[in-house]
Amino acid sequence: MTSEFDVIVVGGGAAGIGAVRRLVDSGASCLLLEASQRLGCVSACNFDPVRRGIGVQF
Ligand SMILES: Cc1cc2nc3c(=O)[nH]c(=O)nc-3n(C[C@H](O)[C@H](O)[C@H](O)COP(=O)(O)OP(=O)(O)OC[C@H]3O[C@@H](n4cnc5c(N)ncnc54)[C@H](O)[C@@H]3O)c2cc1C
């Protein structure tokens, strides 16, 4: 793995994932740093929108 990147993005939520996608598409090398075990933050959570009345729908 390289240790040099054009851009380092902190946070793998929707904004971070979208930023990295655009940067990579434009030819930049990126490192995405995410504090949790999975990308997406609240938009990837396991809330049950029916039973708990909370959740994310896109
Ligand atoms: C209950 C709930 C329901 C929602 N429902 C909808 C919906 O139906 N439709 C909709 O369009 N939007 C919805 N939203 C809003 C949507 O989820 C947010 O707008 C979106 O997640 C914001 O994305 P973000 O990347 O800015 O932030 P986040 O999703 O919060 O991502 C930030 C990321 O940065 C990481 N991070 C933070 N600090 C560090 C650090 N120091 N180092 C490394 N990583 C770090 C976090 O772990 C996280 O993964 C909802 C939000 C909530 C809370």
Side-chain angles (χ1 to χ4, degrees), residues 10-16 33-36 40-42 54-58:
V10 179
L33 300 176
E34 169 51 47
S36 66
C41 195
V42 291
I54 190 170
V56 179
Q57 297 178 333
F58 293 99

Side-chain angles (χ1 to χ4, degrees), residues 8-33:
I8 297 176
V9 175
V10 179
I17 294 169
V20 166
R21 174 64 186 266
R22 285 179 168 231
L23 287 162
V24 169
D25 284 350
S26 69
S29 62
C30 296
L31 175 65
L32 175 62
L33 300 176

